[in-house]
Amino acid sequence: SKNVSEEHLLAFYKEFSDVDYTNKYSNAIYHAVVNGYVNGYSDGTFRPNNYCARAEAAKIIYSILKGGA
């Protein structure tokens, strides 16, 4: 695991209006975004409490299997 600067984390938390350090999924979301598996929605949200649609799950699995973006 890489050491991540506080500045980098703060910039990340500003990327999505609905994810901050108190969110129980924030660590997993951070790593998924950094590794290119997901990128959130165009409105600046991640929607961590929503269900994942079948197409979204397929994209995530495909991204993981091919090694990210």
Side-chain angles (χ1 to χ4, degrees):
S1 166
K2 296 180 190 177
N3 287 334
V4 180
S5 72
E6 184 175 341
E7 182 179 309
H8 187 75
L9 282 173
L10 290 173
F12 168 75
Y13 290 129
K14 290 179 183 177
E15 186 173 341
F16 303 111
S17 61
D18 57 348
V19 177
D20 66 18
Y21 70 93
T22 63
N23 186 293
K24 64 182 175 180
Y25 304 115
S26 64
N27 189 41
I29 292 168
Y30 171 80
H31 288 287
V33 170
V34 168
N35 288 302
Y37 304 141
V38 295
N39 54 16
Y41 294 91
S42 61
D43 65 355
T45 62
F46 192 85
R47 304 176 194 166
N49 297 315
N50 284 12
Y51 289 104
C52 185
R54 185 179 303 162
E56 293 169 324
K59 180 200 175 288
I60 293 167
I61 293 167
Y62 176 77
S63 294
I64 291 169
L65 292 175
K66 75 171 193 152

